[in-house]
Amino acid sequence: MTLLPVPDTAVIVVAAGSGTRLRAGGPKALVGIDGRSILRHALDGVFAARPMQVVVVAPAGFEGDAESELRAAAGERADLGRVVTGGETRQLSVAAGLAALWGDVTRVLVHDAARALTPAAQIDAVADAVTDDAGVIPVLPVVDTLKRVDAAQVLSAVDRAELAAAQTPQGFPRLPLEAAYATALAAAVEYTDDAALYAAAGHPVRHVAGSERAFKITTPADLERARHLLAGGGPGAASIPLVPSIGIGTDVHAFGGEGSLWLAGLEWPDEPALSGHSDGDAVAHAIVDALLSAAGLGDIGQHFGTAHPEYAGAHADVFLARTLELVTAAGFRIGNVSVQFQGNRPRFSARRAEAERVLSSALGGARVIVAATTTDGLGFPGRGEGIAVMAVALLIPAS
Ligand code: CTP
Ligand code: MG
């Protein structure tokens, strides 16, 4: 049996947050980016750097999940890793990680699992720059023009050359970091990050270059950004959907438009017209919204609203063909679309097959099911004032 050298560096990967702002319904670290979770990606970066002791700080109750992610990322170096349970605050979670360090460790990195795509080179660069007394953080220059403001007024400009955005991992010599943590915990003071806590104990903190890829996944938009990066996408490239996705769309139009009625892709010459920016085809519009919703592409107003005059007066075929392009570019094909409208008129059953054919052909041959119902005289559809439609769509990953 070969004895591997015991590393002098440890990384504490804090992953115990709840992810309130991500709103994923579970701990953020376990949310999938592509086929792999945020934590798994963070650990892949860590294990691609130099051999270090790896302490994963997991949310209480999810230690087993964290352990599986750790084992998968560690490969043959499972001996380097262990999982501990986190605390109420990030600071308490880091403290839990510190308590699990091996005796030989002299240098500690603290890393947010939420910075899942941090390059291994950044982790090594931080470790290299730690000295006997100085801490190290990776930073990015601030690119926006910054102002100091109060509730209503701009008070002054801020020189951005003096500012930088802090990332992780943040690296420190072990003993002074442990002492600084002990002081902060005893005084029950919360610091914004480990560098602030370390500096408050009187130690210097230096900086090295951070990277765009080390951004923190905080909101759903950040998660999309991570997906986009992993898909190797340049601007406009689609993310990789992994599972089927359903969407819902509704639309309502009042009678009172010009000309004849357009509904479900068909012209109804003897029926009163619906009003609307386009032809008022509420069935087509609800389908568009259901498809866009399933693809996570926003809604009809965004893609076809009054800001797009080219769609004024357009019929279902134009809307649906463009929607098909959008969902295809996002990496999906259509499983099926089912739509039902509520209204007394037109009497639909005689033309159902024709409507389904027209709508299906506008969607590249996808399965479209159309139904109609009355509302027993109730509500605006029952009074004959307009039509209400609800559609659902199922999208399937293209490959
Ligand atoms: N973290 C932790 N323990 C806590 C709070 C946060 O280990 N009690 C970790 C998170 O898991 C994350 C990192 O600290 O990797 C940065 O925190 P943040 O991005 O704020 O994550 P959350 O606290 O989970 O998210 P939110 O603030 O939206 O709830
Ligand atoms: Mg938080």
PDB file of all heavy atoms in Angstrom, residues 249-251 263-265 281-288 290 320 336-342 348 352 355-356 359 363 367-373 387-393:
ATOM      1  N   GLY A 249     -50.759  28.319 -20.802  1.00  0.00           N
ATOM      2  CA  GLY A 249     -51.043  29.626 -21.394  1.00  0.00           C
ATOM      3  C   GLY A 249     -52.536  29.887 -21.381  1.00  0.00           C
ATOM      4  O   GLY A 249     -53.344  28.969 -21.568  1.00  0.00           O
ATOM      5  N   THR A 250     -52.904  31.121 -21.107  1.00  0.00           N
ATOM      6  CA  THR A 250     -54.327  31.486 -21.175  1.00  0.00           C
ATOM      7  C   THR A 250     -54.457  32.743 -22.010  1.00  0.00           C
ATOM      8  O   THR A 250     -53.510  33.505 -22.155  1.00  0.00           O
ATOM      9  CB  THR A 250     -54.916  31.768 -19.779  1.00  0.00           C
ATOM     10  OG1 THR A 250     -54.294  32.933 -19.256  1.00  0.00           O
ATOM     11  CG2 THR A 250     -54.708  30.624 -18.823  1.00  0.00           C
ATOM     12  N   ASP A 251     -55.630  32.961 -22.566  1.00  0.00           N
ATOM     13  CA  ASP A 251     -55.870  34.227 -23.260  1.00  0.00           C
ATOM     14  C   ASP A 251     -57.364  34.510 -23.256  1.00  0.00           C
ATOM     15  O   ASP A 251     -58.183  33.586 -23.190  1.00  0.00           O
ATOM     16  CB  ASP A 251     -55.365  34.175 -24.697  1.00  0.00           C
ATOM     17  CG  ASP A 251     -55.196  35.567 -25.286  1.00  0.00           C
ATOM     18  OD1 ASP A 251     -55.022  36.536 -24.507  1.00  0.00           O
ATOM     19  OD2 ASP A 251     -55.273  35.700 -26.526  1.00  0.00           O
ATOM     20  N   LEU A 263     -60.297  32.269 -35.349  1.00  0.00           N
ATOM     21  CA  LEU A 263     -60.139  31.499 -34.110  1.00  0.00           C
ATOM     22  C   LEU A 263     -59.602  30.116 -34.428  1.00  0.00           C
ATOM     23  O   LEU A 263     -60.059  29.488 -35.404  1.00  0.00           O
ATOM     24  CB  LEU A 263     -61.493  31.381 -33.386  1.00  0.00           C
ATOM     25  CG  LEU A 263     -61.383  30.883 -31.945  1.00  0.00           C
ATOM     26  CD1 LEU A 263     -60.760  31.940 -31.030  1.00  0.00           C
ATOM     27  CD2 LEU A 263     -62.757  30.480 -31.397  1.00  0.00           C
ATOM     28  N   ALA A 264     -58.656  29.661 -33.649  1.00  0.00           N
ATOM     29  CA  ALA A 264     -58.039  28.346 -33.817  1.00  0.00           C
ATOM     30  C   ALA A 264     -57.443  28.195 -35.218  1.00  0.00           C
ATOM     31  O   ALA A 264     -57.473  27.121 -35.814  1.00  0.00           O
ATOM     32  CB  ALA A 264     -59.048  27.231 -33.518  1.00  0.00           C
ATOM     33  N   GLY A 265     -56.911  29.280 -35.736  1.00  0.00           N
ATOM     34  CA  GLY A 265     -56.241  29.232 -37.044  1.00  0.00           C
ATOM     35  C   GLY A 265     -57.188  29.272 -38.227  1.00  0.00           C
ATOM     36  O   GLY A 265     -56.743  29.208 -39.373  1.00  0.00           O
ATOM     37  N   ASP A 281     -56.905  35.985 -32.296  1.00  0.00           N
ATOM     38  CA  ASP A 281     -57.085  34.520 -32.198  1.00  0.00           C
ATOM     39  C   ASP A 281     -56.591  34.018 -30.840  1.00  0.00           C
ATOM     40  O   ASP A 281     -55.421  33.650 -30.668  1.00  0.00           O
ATOM     41  CB  ASP A 281     -56.334  33.829 -33.336  1.00  0.00           C
ATOM     42  CG  ASP A 281     -56.629  32.352 -33.418  1.00  0.00           C
ATOM     43  OD1 ASP A 281     -57.044  31.754 -32.384  1.00  0.00           O
ATOM     44  OD2 ASP A 281     -56.441  31.764 -34.494  1.00  0.00           O
ATOM     45  N   ALA A 282     -57.499  34.036 -29.888  1.00  0.00           N
ATOM     46  CA  ALA A 282     -57.132  33.713 -28.506  1.00  0.00           C
ATOM     47  C   ALA A 282     -56.655  32.270 -28.365  1.00  0.00           C
ATOM     48  O   ALA A 282     -55.825  31.970 -27.497  1.00  0.00           O
ATOM     49  CB  ALA A 282     -58.322  33.979 -27.580  1.00  0.00           C
ATOM     50  N   VAL A 283     -57.156  31.370 -29.200  1.00  0.00           N
ATOM     51  CA  VAL A 283     -56.700  29.969 -29.130  1.00  0.00           C
ATOM     52  C   VAL A 283     -55.226  29.898 -29.507  1.00  0.00           C
ATOM     53  O   VAL A 283     -54.405  29.300 -28.802  1.00  0.00           O
ATOM     54  CB  VAL A 283     -57.566  29.070 -30.049  1.00  0.00           C
ATOM     55  CG1 VAL A 283     -56.933  27.701 -30.236  1.00  0.00           C
ATOM     56  CG2 VAL A 283     -58.968  28.936 -29.466  1.00  0.00           C
ATOM     57  N   ALA A 284     -54.871  30.551 -30.610  1.00  0.00           N
ATOM     58  CA  ALA A 284     -53.464  30.541 -31.041  1.00  0.00           C
ATOM     59  C   ALA A 284     -52.575  31.211 -29.996  1.00  0.00           C
ATOM     60  O   ALA A 284     -51.474  30.734 -29.695  1.00  0.00           O
ATOM     61  CB  ALA A 284     -53.319  31.246 -32.384  1.00  0.00           C
ATOM     62  N   HIS A 285     -53.075  32.304 -29.430  1.00  0.00           N
ATOM     63  CA  HIS A 285     -52.245  33.036 -28.465  1.00  0.00           C
ATOM     64  C   HIS A 285     -52.011  32.223 -27.190  1.00  0.00           C
ATOM     65  O   HIS A 285     -50.914  32.253 -26.626  1.00  0.00           O
ATOM     66  CB  HIS A 285     -52.894  34.384 -28.118  1.00  0.00           C
ATOM     67  CG  HIS A 285     -53.074  35.265 -29.317  1.00  0.00           C
ATOM     68  ND1 HIS A 285     -53.774  36.443 -29.295  1.00  0.00           N
ATOM     69  CD2 HIS A 285     -52.629  35.112 -30.591  1.00  0.00           C
ATOM     70  CE1 HIS A 285     -53.767  36.986 -30.514  1.00  0.00           C
ATOM     71  NE2 HIS A 285     -53.080  36.195 -31.311  1.00  0.00           N
ATOM     72  N   ALA A 286     -53.028  31.523 -26.743  1.00  0.00           N
ATOM     73  CA  ALA A 286     -52.854  30.688 -25.545  1.00  0.00           C
ATOM     74  C   ALA A 286     -51.850  29.574 -25.829  1.00  0.00           C
ATOM     75  O   ALA A 286     -51.031  29.221 -24.970  1.00  0.00           O
ATOM     76  CB  ALA A 286     -54.196  30.113 -25.107  1.00  0.00           C
ATOM     77  N   ILE A 287     -51.883  29.029 -27.045  1.00  0.00           N
ATOM     78  CA  ILE A 287     -50.911  27.976 -27.403  1.00  0.00           C
ATOM     79  C   ILE A 287     -49.497  28.547 -27.392  1.00  0.00           C
ATOM     80  O   ILE A 287     -48.558  27.938 -26.874  1.00  0.00           O
ATOM     81  CB  ILE A 287     -51.235  27.385 -28.800  1.00  0.00           C
ATOM     82  CG1 ILE A 287     -52.553  26.618 -28.757  1.00  0.00           C
ATOM     83  CG2 ILE A 287     -50.096  26.502 -29.285  1.00  0.00           C
ATOM     84  CD1 ILE A 287     -53.023  26.105 -30.120  1.00  0.00           C
ATOM     85  N   VAL A 288     -49.340  29.748 -27.961  1.00  0.00           N
ATOM     86  CA  VAL A 288     -48.016  30.386 -27.979  1.00  0.00           C
ATOM     87  C   VAL A 288     -47.508  30.553 -26.545  1.00  0.00           C
ATOM     88  O   VAL A 288     -46.354  30.214 -26.234  1.00  0.00           O
ATOM     89  CB  VAL A 288     -48.078  31.757 -28.695  1.00  0.00           C
ATOM     90  CG1 VAL A 288     -46.784  32.544 -28.463  1.00  0.00           C
ATOM     91  CG2 VAL A 288     -48.332  31.565 -30.185  1.00  0.00           C
ATOM     92  N   ALA A 290     -48.361  28.882 -23.855  1.00  0.00           N
ATOM     93  CA  ALA A 290     -48.067  27.580 -23.230  1.00  0.00           C
ATOM     94  C   ALA A 290     -46.702  27.070 -23.697  1.00  0.00           C
ATOM     95  O   ALA A 290     -45.904  26.560 -22.905  1.00  0.00           O
ATOM     96  CB  ALA A 290     -49.163  26.577 -23.565  1.00  0.00           C
ATOM     97  N   LEU A 320     -47.394  30.906 -34.660  1.00  0.00           N
ATOM     98  CA  LEU A 320     -47.002  29.546 -34.269  1.00  0.00           C
ATOM     99  C   LEU A 320     -45.689  29.144 -34.924  1.00  0.00           C
ATOM    100  O   LEU A 320     -44.848  28.489 -34.283  1.00  0.00           O
ATOM    101  CB  LEU A 320     -48.121  28.561 -34.611  1.00  0.00           C
ATOM    102  CG  LEU A 320     -49.406  28.786 -33.801  1.00  0.00           C
ATOM    103  CD1 LEU A 320     -50.516  27.847 -34.281  1.00  0.00           C
ATOM    104  CD2 LEU A 320     -49.165  28.574 -32.307  1.00  0.00           C
ATOM    105  N   ASN A 336     -46.877  17.559 -27.252  1.00  0.00           N
ATOM    106  CA  ASN A 336     -48.225  17.859 -27.735  1.00  0.00           C
ATOM    107  C   ASN A 336     -48.707  19.160 -27.124  1.00  0.00           C
ATOM    108  O   ASN A 336     -48.103  19.693 -26.189  1.00  0.00           O
ATOM    109  CB  ASN A 336     -49.221  16.736 -27.418  1.00  0.00           C
ATOM    110  CG  ASN A 336     -49.708  16.800 -25.985  1.00  0.00           C
ATOM    111  OD1 ASN A 336     -48.922  16.691 -25.055  1.00  0.00           O
ATOM    112  ND2 ASN A 336     -50.996  17.001 -25.792  1.00  0.00           N
ATOM    113  N   VAL A 337     -49.781  19.651 -27.699  1.00  0.00           N
ATOM    114  CA  VAL A 337     -50.428  20.855 -27.203  1.00  0.00           C
ATOM    115  C   VAL A 337     -51.899  20.522 -27.056  1.00  0.00           C
ATOM    116  O   VAL A 337     -52.494  19.903 -27.941  1.00  0.00           O
ATOM    117  CB  VAL A 337     -50.281  22.019 -28.214  1.00  0.00           C
ATOM    118  CG1 VAL A 337     -51.105  23.217 -27.770  1.00  0.00           C
ATOM    119  CG2 VAL A 337     -48.828  22.401 -28.384  1.00  0.00           C
ATOM    120  N   SER A 338     -52.498  20.896 -25.939  1.00  0.00           N
ATOM    121  CA  SER A 338     -53.934  20.691 -25.761  1.00  0.00           C
ATOM    122  C   SER A 338     -54.546  22.020 -25.346  1.00  0.00           C
ATOM    123  O   SER A 338     -54.029  22.689 -24.460  1.00  0.00           O
ATOM    124  CB  SER A 338     -54.165  19.624 -24.691  1.00  0.00           C
ATOM    125  OG  SER A 338     -55.542  19.344 -24.616  1.00  0.00           O
ATOM    126  N   VAL A 339     -55.631  22.392 -26.010  1.00  0.00           N
ATOM    127  CA  VAL A 339     -56.197  23.714 -25.780  1.00  0.00           C
ATOM    128  C   VAL A 339     -57.721  23.604 -25.723  1.00  0.00           C
ATOM    129  O   VAL A 339     -58.324  22.799 -26.426  1.00  0.00           O
ATOM    130  CB  VAL A 339     -55.715  24.710 -26.872  1.00  0.00           C
ATOM    131  CG1 VAL A 339     -56.040  24.210 -28.255  1.00  0.00           C
ATOM    132  CG2 VAL A 339     -56.254  26.110 -26.667  1.00  0.00           C
ATOM    133  N   GLN A 340     -58.321  24.396 -24.837  1.00  0.00           N
ATOM    134  CA  GLN A 340     -59.780  24.404 -24.739  1.00  0.00           C
ATOM    135  C   GLN A 340     -60.254  25.847 -24.632  1.00  0.00           C
ATOM    136  O   GLN A 340     -59.687  26.626 -23.879  1.00  0.00           O
ATOM    137  CB  GLN A 340     -60.242  23.643 -23.503  1.00  0.00           C
ATOM    138  CG  GLN A 340     -61.775  23.548 -23.456  1.00  0.00           C
ATOM    139  CD  GLN A 340     -62.261  22.840 -22.198  1.00  0.00           C
ATOM    140  OE1 GLN A 340     -61.801  23.140 -21.107  1.00  0.00           O
ATOM    141  NE2 GLN A 340     -63.189  21.923 -22.366  1.00  0.00           N
ATOM    142  N   PHE A 341     -61.271  26.191 -25.434  1.00  0.00           N
ATOM    143  CA  PHE A 341     -61.814  27.533 -25.263  1.00  0.00           C
ATOM    144  C   PHE A 341     -63.218  27.484 -24.700  1.00  0.00           C
ATOM    145  O   PHE A 341     -63.964  26.525 -24.894  1.00  0.00           O
ATOM    146  CB  PHE A 341     -61.717  28.371 -26.557  1.00  0.00           C
ATOM    147  CG  PHE A 341     -62.710  28.062 -27.631  1.00  0.00           C
ATOM    148  CD1 PHE A 341     -63.998  28.610 -27.612  1.00  0.00           C
ATOM    149  CD2 PHE A 341     -62.351  27.253 -28.709  1.00  0.00           C
ATOM    150  CE1 PHE A 341     -64.906  28.353 -28.628  1.00  0.00           C
ATOM    151  CE2 PHE A 341     -63.257  26.992 -29.720  1.00  0.00           C
ATOM    152  CZ  PHE A 341     -64.536  27.548 -29.678  1.00  0.00           C
ATOM    153  N   GLN A 342     -63.577  28.556 -23.976  1.00  0.00           N
ATOM    154  CA  GLN A 342     -64.911  28.715 -23.405  1.00  0.00           C
ATOM    155  C   GLN A 342     -65.615  29.831 -24.167  1.00  0.00           C
ATOM    156  O   GLN A 342     -65.107  30.953 -24.223  1.00  0.00           O
ATOM    157  CB  GLN A 342     -64.825  29.124 -21.933  1.00  0.00           C
ATOM    158  CG  GLN A 342     -64.148  28.094 -21.063  1.00  0.00           C
ATOM    159  CD  GLN A 342     -64.057  28.562 -19.616  1.00  0.00           C
ATOM    160  OE1 GLN A 342     -64.249  29.730 -19.323  1.00  0.00           O
ATOM    161  NE2 GLN A 342     -63.792  27.629 -18.715  1.00  0.00           N
ATOM    162  N   PHE A 348     -68.201  24.809 -32.627  1.00  0.00           N
ATOM    163  CA  PHE A 348     -66.857  24.406 -33.018  1.00  0.00           C
ATOM    164  C   PHE A 348     -66.745  23.000 -33.598  1.00  0.00           C
ATOM    165  O   PHE A 348     -65.915  22.727 -34.465  1.00  0.00           O
ATOM    166  CB  PHE A 348     -65.948  24.512 -31.787  1.00  0.00           C
ATOM    167  CG  PHE A 348     -64.502  24.318 -32.091  1.00  0.00           C
ATOM    168  CD1 PHE A 348     -63.827  25.232 -32.888  1.00  0.00           C
ATOM    169  CD2 PHE A 348     -63.813  23.223 -31.608  1.00  0.00           C
ATOM    170  CE1 PHE A 348     -62.490  25.060 -33.194  1.00  0.00           C
ATOM    171  CE2 PHE A 348     -62.481  23.053 -31.908  1.00  0.00           C
ATOM    172  CZ  PHE A 348     -61.820  23.965 -32.692  1.00  0.00           C
ATOM    173  N   ARG A 352     -63.592  21.068 -35.912  1.00  0.00           N
ATOM    174  CA  ARG A 352     -62.491  20.717 -35.008  1.00  0.00           C
ATOM    175  C   ARG A 352     -61.300  20.104 -35.752  1.00  0.00           C
ATOM    176  O   ARG A 352     -60.156  20.529 -35.584  1.00  0.00           O
ATOM    177  CB  ARG A 352     -62.975  19.726 -33.954  1.00  0.00           C
ATOM    178  CG  ARG A 352     -61.857  19.245 -33.027  1.00  0.00           C
ATOM    179  CD  ARG A 352     -62.191  17.898 -32.403  1.00  0.00           C
ATOM    180  NE  ARG A 352     -63.500  17.935 -31.776  1.00  0.00           N
ATOM    181  CZ  ARG A 352     -63.718  18.351 -30.529  1.00  0.00           C
ATOM    182  NH1 ARG A 352     -62.702  18.735 -29.791  1.00  0.00           N
ATOM    183  NH2 ARG A 352     -64.930  18.350 -30.048  1.00  0.00           N
ATOM    184  N   ALA A 355     -59.383  22.645 -37.724  1.00  0.00           N
ATOM    185  CA  ALA A 355     -58.585  23.528 -36.868  1.00  0.00           C
ATOM    186  C   ALA A 355     -57.331  22.809 -36.380  1.00  0.00           C
ATOM    187  O   ALA A 355     -56.230  23.368 -36.404  1.00  0.00           O
ATOM    188  CB  ALA A 355     -59.417  23.991 -35.674  1.00  0.00           C
ATOM    189  N   GLU A 356     -57.484  21.572 -35.959  1.00  0.00           N
ATOM    190  CA  GLU A 356     -56.324  20.830 -35.448  1.00  0.00           C
ATOM    191  C   GLU A 356     -55.274  20.649 -36.537  1.00  0.00           C
ATOM    192  O   GLU A 356     -54.066  20.757 -36.284  1.00  0.00           O
ATOM    193  CB  GLU A 356     -56.769  19.474 -34.877  1.00  0.00           C
ATOM    194  CG  GLU A 356     -57.530  19.645 -33.560  1.00  0.00           C
ATOM    195  CD  GLU A 356     -58.067  18.335 -32.981  1.00  0.00           C
ATOM    196  OE1 GLU A 356     -58.093  17.314 -33.712  1.00  0.00           O
ATOM    197  OE2 GLU A 356     -58.475  18.337 -31.805  1.00  0.00           O
ATOM    198  N   LEU A 359     -53.504  24.142 -37.148  1.00  0.00           N
ATOM    199  CA  LEU A 359     -52.606  24.494 -36.037  1.00  0.00           C
ATOM    200  C   LEU A 359     -51.399  23.553 -36.002  1.00  0.00           C
ATOM    201  O   LEU A 359     -50.257  23.981 -35.789  1.00  0.00           O
ATOM    202  CB  LEU A 359     -53.359  24.448 -34.706  1.00  0.00           C
ATOM    203  CG  LEU A 359     -54.494  25.472 -34.564  1.00  0.00           C
ATOM    204  CD1 LEU A 359     -55.346  25.181 -33.331  1.00  0.00           C
ATOM    205  CD2 LEU A 359     -53.940  26.897 -34.498  1.00  0.00           C
ATOM    206  N   LEU A 363     -47.253  24.243 -36.555  1.00  0.00           N
ATOM    207  CA  LEU A 363     -46.267  23.847 -35.534  1.00  0.00           C
ATOM    208  C   LEU A 363     -45.409  22.677 -36.024  1.00  0.00           C
ATOM    209  O   LEU A 363     -44.947  21.857 -35.219  1.00  0.00           O
ATOM    210  CB  LEU A 363     -46.978  23.481 -34.232  1.00  0.00           C
ATOM    211  CG  LEU A 363     -47.558  24.668 -33.445  1.00  0.00           C
ATOM    212  CD1 LEU A 363     -48.378  24.186 -32.255  1.00  0.00           C
ATOM    213  CD2 LEU A 363     -46.447  25.603 -32.964  1.00  0.00           C
ATOM    214  N   ARG A 367     -48.586  17.367 -32.502  1.00  0.00           N
ATOM    215  CA  ARG A 367     -49.951  16.966 -32.144  1.00  0.00           C
ATOM    216  C   ARG A 367     -50.650  18.102 -31.405  1.00  0.00           C
ATOM    217  O   ARG A 367     -50.200  18.527 -30.331  1.00  0.00           O
ATOM    218  CB  ARG A 367     -49.885  15.721 -31.270  1.00  0.00           C
ATOM    219  CG  ARG A 367     -51.209  15.203 -30.833  1.00  0.00           C
ATOM    220  CD  ARG A 367     -51.164  13.696 -30.626  1.00  0.00           C
ATOM    221  NE  ARG A 367     -52.515  13.190 -30.567  1.00  0.00           N
ATOM    222  CZ  ARG A 367     -53.060  12.646 -29.479  1.00  0.00           C
ATOM    223  NH1 ARG A 367     -52.347  12.538 -28.374  1.00  0.00           N
ATOM    224  NH2 ARG A 367     -54.304  12.217 -29.513  1.00  0.00           N
ATOM    225  N   VAL A 368     -51.760  18.577 -31.971  1.00  0.00           N
ATOM    226  CA  VAL A 368     -52.533  19.647 -31.349  1.00  0.00           C
ATOM    227  C   VAL A 368     -53.964  19.150 -31.154  1.00  0.00           C
ATOM    228  O   VAL A 368     -54.578  18.623 -32.084  1.00  0.00           O
ATOM    229  CB  VAL A 368     -52.543  20.924 -32.225  1.00  0.00           C
ATOM    230  CG1 VAL A 368     -53.379  22.021 -31.571  1.00  0.00           C
ATOM    231  CG2 VAL A 368     -51.124  21.415 -32.470  1.00  0.00           C
ATOM    232  N   ILE A 369     -54.477  19.298 -29.948  1.00  0.00           N
ATOM    233  CA  ILE A 369     -55.832  18.839 -29.627  1.00  0.00           C
ATOM    234  C   ILE A 369     -56.635  20.065 -29.212  1.00  0.00           C
ATOM    235  O   ILE A 369     -56.205  20.817 -28.337  1.00  0.00           O
ATOM    236  CB  ILE A 369     -55.795  17.823 -28.464  1.00  0.00           C
ATOM    237  CG1 ILE A 369     -54.888  16.647 -28.846  1.00  0.00           C
ATOM    238  CG2 ILE A 369     -57.194  17.355 -28.099  1.00  0.00           C
ATOM    239  CD1 ILE A 369     -54.085  16.097 -27.717  1.00  0.00           C
ATOM    240  N   VAL A 370     -57.781  20.285 -29.858  1.00  0.00           N
ATOM    241  CA  VAL A 370     -58.577  21.478 -29.561  1.00  0.00           C
ATOM    242  C   VAL A 370     -59.969  21.060 -29.090  1.00  0.00           C
ATOM    243  O   VAL A 370     -60.587  20.172 -29.683  1.00  0.00           O
ATOM    244  CB  VAL A 370     -58.719  22.396 -30.796  1.00  0.00           C
ATOM    245  CG1 VAL A 370     -59.329  23.740 -30.395  1.00  0.00           C
ATOM    246  CG2 VAL A 370     -57.388  22.624 -31.471  1.00  0.00           C
ATOM    247  N   ALA A 371     -60.455  21.685 -28.039  1.00  0.00           N
ATOM    248  CA  ALA A 371     -61.811  21.405 -27.558  1.00  0.00           C
ATOM    249  C   ALA A 371     -62.499  22.726 -27.247  1.00  0.00           C
ATOM    250  O   ALA A 371     -61.856  23.764 -27.115  1.00  0.00           O
ATOM    251  CB  ALA A 371     -61.734  20.546 -26.291  1.00  0.00           C
ATOM    252  N   ALA A 372     -63.811  22.683 -27.152  1.00  0.00           N
ATOM    253  CA  ALA A 372     -64.578  23.892 -26.835  1.00  0.00           C
ATOM    254  C   ALA A 372     -65.656  23.534 -25.821  1.00  0.00           C
ATOM    255  O   ALA A 372     -66.108  22.390 -25.755  1.00  0.00           O
ATOM    256  CB  ALA A 372     -65.226  24.452 -28.094  1.00  0.00           C
ATOM    257  N   THR A 373     -66.050  24.512 -25.031  1.00  0.00           N
ATOM    258  CA  THR A 373     -67.121  24.271 -24.070  1.00  0.00           C
ATOM    259  C   THR A 373     -67.881  25.567 -23.831  1.00  0.00           C
ATOM    260  O   THR A 373     -67.369  26.658 -24.096  1.00  0.00           O
ATOM    261  CB  THR A 373     -66.545  23.726 -22.741  1.00  0.00           C
ATOM    262  OG1 THR A 373     -67.630  23.385 -21.868  1.00  0.00           O
ATOM    263  CG2 THR A 373     -65.694  24.769 -22.032  1.00  0.00           C
ATOM    264  N   ILE A 387     -64.236  35.443 -25.429  1.00  0.00           N
ATOM    265  CA  ILE A 387     -63.818  34.040 -25.393  1.00  0.00           C
ATOM    266  C   ILE A 387     -62.640  33.912 -24.434  1.00  0.00           C
ATOM    267  O   ILE A 387     -61.761  34.777 -24.409  1.00  0.00           O
ATOM    268  CB  ILE A 387     -63.445  33.575 -26.822  1.00  0.00           C
ATOM    269  CG1 ILE A 387     -64.741  33.256 -27.581  1.00  0.00           C
ATOM    270  CG2 ILE A 387     -62.514  32.381 -26.818  1.00  0.00           C
ATOM    271  CD1 ILE A 387     -64.526  32.778 -28.982  1.00  0.00           C
ATOM    272  N   ALA A 388     -62.647  32.850 -23.641  1.00  0.00           N
ATOM    273  CA  ALA A 388     -61.531  32.567 -22.729  1.00  0.00           C
ATOM    274  C   ALA A 388     -60.899  31.243 -23.141  1.00  0.00           C
ATOM    275  O   ALA A 388     -61.616  30.299 -23.485  1.00  0.00           O
ATOM    276  CB  ALA A 388     -62.037  32.474 -21.289  1.00  0.00           C
ATOM    277  N   VAL A 389     -59.578  31.189 -23.111  1.00  0.00           N
ATOM    278  CA  VAL A 389     -58.887  29.986 -23.585  1.00  0.00           C
ATOM    279  C   VAL A 389     -57.824  29.561 -22.591  1.00  0.00           C
ATOM    280  O   VAL A 389     -57.157  30.410 -22.000  1.00  0.00           O
ATOM    281  CB  VAL A 389     -58.185  30.249 -24.942  1.00  0.00           C
ATOM    282  CG1 VAL A 389     -57.686  28.938 -25.542  1.00  0.00           C
ATOM    283  CG2 VAL A 389     -59.096  30.962 -25.897  1.00  0.00           C
ATOM    284  N   MET A 390     -57.677  28.252 -22.452  1.00  0.00           N
ATOM    285  CA  MET A 390     -56.565  27.725 -21.655  1.00  0.00           C
ATOM    286  C   MET A 390     -55.851  26.658 -22.477  1.00  0.00           C
ATOM    287  O   MET A 390     -56.496  25.812 -23.097  1.00  0.00           O
ATOM    288  CB  MET A 390     -57.083  27.126 -20.359  1.00  0.00           C
ATOM    289  CG  MET A 390     -55.955  26.747 -19.425  1.00  0.00           C
ATOM    290  SD  MET A 390     -56.568  26.196 -17.838  1.00  0.00           S
ATOM    291  CE  MET A 390     -57.176  27.719 -17.174  1.00  0.00           C
ATOM    292  N   ALA A 391     -54.522  26.725 -22.488  1.00  0.00           N
ATOM    293  CA  ALA A 391     -53.737  25.744 -23.246  1.00  0.00           C
ATOM    294  C   ALA A 391     -52.632  25.183 -22.362  1.00  0.00           C
ATOM    295  O   ALA A 391     -52.094  25.884 -21.508  1.00  0.00           O
ATOM    296  CB  ALA A 391     -53.111  26.406 -24.476  1.00  0.00           C
ATOM    297  N   VAL A 392     -52.300  23.918 -22.574  1.00  0.00           N
ATOM    298  CA  VAL A 392     -51.090  23.356 -21.969  1.00  0.00           C
ATOM    299  C   VAL A 392     -50.244  22.758 -23.083  1.00  0.00           C
ATOM    300  O   VAL A 392     -50.761  22.323 -24.113  1.00  0.00           O
ATOM    301  CB  VAL A 392     -51.377  22.267 -20.904  1.00  0.00           C
ATOM    302  CG1 VAL A 392     -51.983  22.874 -19.658  1.00  0.00           C
ATOM    303  CG2 VAL A 392     -52.231  21.167 -21.467  1.00  0.00           C
ATOM    304  N   ALA A 393     -48.930  22.787 -22.881  1.00  0.00           N
ATOM    305  CA  ALA A 393     -48.014  22.248 -23.885  1.00  0.00           C
ATOM    306  C   ALA A 393     -46.973  21.400 -23.179  1.00  0.00           C
ATOM    307  O   ALA A 393     -46.572  21.699 -22.052  1.00  0.00           O
ATOM    308  CB  ALA A 393     -47.323  23.381 -24.631  1.00  0.00           C
TER     309      ALA A 393
END
